[in-house]
Every structure is written in C-alpha cells, then in structure tokens.
Amino acid sequence: MSENQTFSSFGLHESLMRAISEMGYETPTPIQIQAIPLVLAGNDVMGAAQTGTGKTASFGLPLLERLIPTANSSMSPARHPVRALILTPTRELADQVHENLQAYAKYTGLRTACVFGGVDIHTQQDALRRGVEVLVATPGRLLDHVEQRNTVLNQVQIVVLDEADRMLDMGFLPDISKILKLLPEKRQSLMFSATFSPEIKSLAANFLRNPQLVEVARENSTAKTITQKLFEVHNSEKVDALLDLLDDEVCEDAKNILVFVNSKIVCRRLARTLSQYGIEADSIHGDKTQDERIKTLEGFKQGTIKVLVATDVAARGLDIADLPVVINFDVPFNAEDYVHRIGRTGRAGMKGLALTLMCPGADEKNVAAIESLIKEHFKRVRMDVSPHRRPSRGPRKVYTPPPVTPACTDPFFDEPYVPSQPQEISEAIEKPLGLGAKDTKKKPKVAALLGGLIRR
Ligand code: AMP
C-alpha cells in the first residue's frame, strides 16, 4: 500500500467524501491506509493503534460505507435497527468517537447516537426508541438500556471494541461478555488496543474470527517533535516546583497545559491549590459527572481554564488541538501511560514540551521502566525550587464562646453551633501535598534550568 494514497482511492461513497473534505482531511493516516480496505472487504480486524492516530475514521468510514445501502428516511423505528455498535471505555471517548462518526455520517442518511453513564438515562432513551443505525456506548449504560428495552442488539452487523486494553483494565470484561452474547453470531468484529497483554490476546481469540492485524506507531514510540525533561524534586517540594514551571515563560505563553497525576484525590486537591494561587485551573477525573466534565473541557478548549489537572483514565481519548505543554506532576505507575500522556502534545508535527517531576528513590523504578520502554535515557536535572508564599485568605476569625450563665451545668450544650471555617478545611486538605508556609523570595526563572525550552 502506498504512503501517497488518497481518500478517493478507497472508492468511498460521495456522501462520505463530502464529509471528509468538510473535516479538512486531505490524506489518510497510516492506520487508515491499512485498515479501511480490510474493513471494507468485511474482514475482522485487530488494530494496534492509540487515540490520536486517526483510528476512529479507520473503522468509522468503512463501517458507514457498508451501512449506506440500508439508509432510509422511514419514520418507523423498526426500519432503523442498531447495525453498528461501538463500545468505548470512557464517556469522553464515547462522546469524541460519536462526534466524529456524526460528522462522517452527516450526508449518509444514517442515524447515530451515543449513550454513556453519569447522565440522565431518559434523554438517551428517546433517541434509541426512535431508532439508530450507529450506536456508540459505554458497556454499563448500554446494558441498562437493553434491560429497559430501549434498544435491541440482534441486528448488529458490525461491532467495534475501542481501547480494549483500557476496557479490561477498568473491569468491563463481564459487561462486554454479556453484550457480545446479545449480538448475532454472524457479524464483523473489530478491536483496537494500544497494548497486547495476554488478556487482550485471549479476548481477541474469542471475539475475532481470522483477524487481520494492522499496526501503527508502536506503543513505545514518542514523537520526535516532543522535548522531554525530567526534574528531580523532593516530594514536599512538588507543588512549589510545579508553580515554578508554570511561572516559566514557556508555560506562561501557553494557552493550555495538561498536568497529570496518579490519583483522583491529588487531582482535586492540586487543581484547588493552583486556583488558590490565582491560576485558572480545574480538574478532570472519574468522580466528576458528565456535565461537569463537558463544562471543564469546554473551558479548557476555549482557554478560560488554562491548566487542566487530569488522571489517566479521564484524559484517555481527549483530543485537544494545540497543547504545547504536558506536565507529569506524578511519574505514572505504568510506563505505557507515560507515552500516552506526553502524546497529548507535539501532535501533527507541532512542537511540544513534556516535563516530569520525579522524586529520587520513590520514582526511580518507574522512571527506569519508562526509559527502557522508550529506549531513551533522561538527563536528571536537580530543580532548585523557589518556595512560594501560601495564598492569603484574609484574617482568621477567632471564636469567642458566650459567657456561661450560672444556671448552666454543661456549657457545651449552651454554645451555639459554629460551622468550621472554610480556610481550616482547605488547610487540612492541602497538607498532604506538602504545601508549607514559606517566605516569598524572588524566584529565579526556571528557563535556564529548562534550557532550550521551545518558544512559540
Ligand atoms: P483519532 O485517533 O480517531 O482520535 O483522531 C485524532 C484526530 O485526528 C481527530 O481530531 C480526527 O478528526 C483527526 N483525523 C483523523 N483522520 C485524519 C486525517 N486523515 N487527516 C487529518 N486529520 C485526521
């Protein structure tokens, strides 16, 4: 297959070609060059590709092409059964995949819908009951709809498991098995995964028939356009170190910065701490409702939120154009997550910067695993962290108990209820992040430390 291939060489329907042209796609990506003809020919496909490679169109375009003959304008729901089912691990990915499929299907007459948990089920119910040919879903919510008889899956011709590795990590295997049992035996099955663990191989063996393998951008590769830097800091200095990095000119000029952490709790606290320092920051993690996530993402894309603190699961599948800087506040436990994280920057040939804070000792093993995966050795730079003064929150209110009347035997029961002061709560919350009250001194610019940072 030629690298100079064009979309017109796939022989796609004119309605799809029109949508592709409106999306601004000029040439197919490597995964599209490999996968589109195989899916068009009706093969089962195992794709080794991650988000950001153009994977959605690699299955979405041929899938729609195969369904175009069934498109119709009937009002009857029976004429619009689910014919293609795409399962994704997260709400964000479901939303993003659906957004793309909706755009590709715009002129085909095929109906699309997306269902995921964490939002009101009734609004999704109406769309399903009217009938849709292409359904994007997270497994749990799809089963809820099936149980409520909002949809049936017995006419599915094509099923896609997207980010299958993440689905297994998130414990969706039982739900996936239940869903697969509801599908017709005779169907086309596609599976995409960034990694190939024994569990993925066994799922593929059960799920796919004589699959064709397509593979692009190996998991251990990081784009050449990304400059990677590693800073050694003590755990108690991490917040100050992050503030120093954010103060640097490169970060100051950046519209969007994504900061990765390893847990939901640190995610919430760090975003709150940054906000207290006057930085437009918010968090995205698994405990947020879908509405909150959508609002946060919109704010980030529009630039009203400059720094987004994220966990790996929540950030999966986020497609944010022009992300110049990614910071690993925590070294990821899994080396492959490092590749995913920093792959959020330096996309489509643009320059990107990936900065990682590492605690010598504690993070050594995980950093070594990353180095061995990406086959690069990081130069460890000891960061001279400038202490930041804790944000002022106004004078502390001191509670003075009212005078005890002589009739009172237990003063406790006579005292009015006084709620905790908000600043006391946030102090208690911040402590584990190592924010000590420190004096302000003029911070040295870290640009020298970062030496050779990209100016945009
Ligand atoms: P995906 O890996 O499917 O999440 O796609 C990542 C991004 O690349 C999305 O914003 C797509 O709209 C975009 N994209 C996919 N295929 C192409 C293409 N052939 N040319 C330009 N952009 C593309």
Side-chain angles (χ1 to χ4, degrees):
M1 264 165 279
S2 151
E3 287 297 315
N4 301 323
Q5 194 137 1
T6 60
F7 278 106
S8 49
S9 61
F10 297 127
L12 296 171
H13 194 270
E14 59 176 13
S15 58
L16 291 174
M17 291 302 290
R18 190 171 159 202
I20 292 169
S21 143
E22 275 183 18
M23 297 282 286
Y25 299 178
E26 286 172 5
T27 49
T29 65
I31 185 93
Q32 291 162 2
I33 293 173
Q34 292 183 52
I36 291 176
L38 291 172
V39 181
L40 281 176
N43 292 287
D44 279 11
V45 168
M46 169 81 226
Q50 59 202 56
T51 298
T53 54
K55 150 176 84 69
T56 314
S58 80
F59 64 77
L61 292 171
L63 167 160
L64 292 168
E65 175 76 29
R66 301 202 74 205
L67 298 187
I68 283 174
T70 67
N72 66 86
S73 54
S74 163
M75 295 298 282
S76 161
R79 299 285 316 280
H80 301 277
V82 179
R83 298 185 192 275
L85 174 66
I86 298 105
L87 294 174
T88 73
T90 64
R91 313 158 188 192
E92 282 77 18
L93 187 62
D95 202 28
Q96 224 163 265
V97 167
H98 177 244
E99 212 174 272
N100 279 325
L101 287 176
Q102 206 175 22
Y104 305 146
K106 192 170 167 190
Y107 303 110
T108 60
L110 294 164
R111 298 179 182 178
T112 69
C114 184
V115 297
F116 42 72
V119 291
D120 183 28
I121 197 163
H122 298 101
T123 46
Q124 300 172 348
Q125 181 174 302
D126 296 342
L128 291 182
R129 289 190 173 173
R130 275 196 299 272
V132 299
E133 280 88 6
V134 180
L135 179 60
V136 185
T138 52
R141 179 50 67 94
L142 177 63
L143 285 171
D144 293 342
H145 281 292
V146 171
E147 270 161 31
Q148 292 189 12
R149 299 177 192 279
N150 297 330
T151 189
V152 286
L153 303 175
N154 60 3
Q155 293 195 57
V156 169
Q157 294 164 233
I158 307 174
V159 58
V160 184
L161 288 193
D162 200 6
E163 297 203 348
D165 48 350
R166 200 45 69 140
M167 288 212 253
L168 295 193
D169 285 352
M170 292 171 74
F172 285 138
L173 189 55
D175 283 351
I176 293 171
S177 305
K178 276 188 214 158
I179 293 168
L180 295 181
K181 282 189 192 128
L182 301 171
L183 308 182
E185 284 268 306
K186 191 170 171 296
R187 57 166 197 255
Q188 183 178 16
S189 305
L190 316 174
M191 180 165 145
F192 289 84
S193 177
T195 55
F196 281 99
S197 61
E199 291 79 21
I200 285 290
K201 286 183 184 149
S202 114
L203 178 64
N206 285 320
F207 172 61
L208 304 170
R209 280 179 210 133
N210 189 20
Q212 304 292 306
L213 184 74
V214 297
E215 196 173 4
V216 293
R218 281 160 53 78
E219 182 61 15
N220 58 2
S221 57
T222 51
K224 295 268 178 291
T225 47
I226 306 172
T227 305
Q228 301 173 62
K229 305 251 174 196
L230 186 94
F231 298 104
E232 288 186 342
V233 287
H234 189 270
N235 195 34
S236 63
E237 301 171 317
K238 276 169 92 174
V239 173
D240 285 320
L242 176 63
L243 290 167
D244 274 358
L245 293 177
L246 293 175
D247 266 357
D248 185 80
E249 236 171 290
V250 178
C251 290
E252 256 174 15
D253 293 348
K255 179 180 158 216
N256 283 147
I257 297 169
L258 195 53
V259 176
F260 280 101
V261 294
N262 286 351
S263 69
K264 289 185 238 180
I265 193 154
V266 173
C267 193
R268 270 194 300 269
R269 289 175 186 175
L270 186 59
R272 192 164 41 218
T273 301
L274 294 178
S275 307
Q276 286 168 352
Y277 280 93
I279 296 166
E280 301 91 358
D282 206 342
S283 60
I284 187 156
H285 52 77
D287 283 350
K288 282 204 155 182
T289 64
Q290 182 60 14
D291 285 348
E292 287 169 332
R293 291 179 188 206
I294 289 170
K295 232 168 103 189
T296 304
L297 263 185
E298 264 320 296
F300 192 54
K301 284 183 181 172
Q302 284 165 14
T304 50
I305 295 165
K306 175 168 177 164
V307 179
L308 183 61
V309 187
T311 56
D312 290 288
V313 168
R316 262 277 169 145
L318 295 187
D319 178 35
I320 302 149
D322 191 20
L323 191 54
V325 186
V326 167
I327 301 177
N328 291 307
F329 181 81
D330 293 325
V331 174
F333 297 126
N334 183 342
E336 277 148 7
D337 282 338
Y338 176 83
V339 180
H340 281 299
R341 287 181 181 188
I342 76 164
R344 305 278 148 206
T345 183
R347 284 185 169 202
M350 289 171 71
K351 284 184 177 175
L353 182 64
L355 309 174
T356 301
L357 298 178
M358 107 171 250
C359 301
D363 290 331
E364 204 62 61
K365 222 174 102 198
N366 291 334
V367 169
I370 295 168
E371 290 178 325
S372 127
L373 181 75
I374 64 172
K375 298 189 176 57
E376 274 179 53
H377 184 73
F378 294 117
K379 185 168 169 242
R380 287 152 169 75
V381 180
R382 169 70 213 167
M383 195 165 166
D384 186 15
V385 179
S386 327
H388 290 248
R389 183 191 282 278
R390 289 191 62 183
S392 140
R393 298 185 203 109
R396 195 176 251 268
K397 286 195 190 108
V398 180
Y399 171 64
T400 319
V404 179
T405 58
C408 181
T409 49
D410 185 347
F412 180 81
F413 292 102
D414 279 0
E415 287 176 14
Y417 169 70
V418 178
S420 306
Q421 298 299 315
Q423 60 264 46
E424 286 169 11
I425 297 169
S426 53
E427 260 167 41
I429 288 170
E430 275 162 23
K431 272 200 181 118
L433 282 177
L435 257 183
K438 292 172 180 170
D439 294 328
T440 312
K441 67 171 186 201
K442 183 86 187 92
K443 293 180 281 41
K445 277 278 175 201
V446 284
L449 249 186
L450 298 176
L453 283 193
I454 303 150
R455 292 273 152 84
R456 307 185 122 246

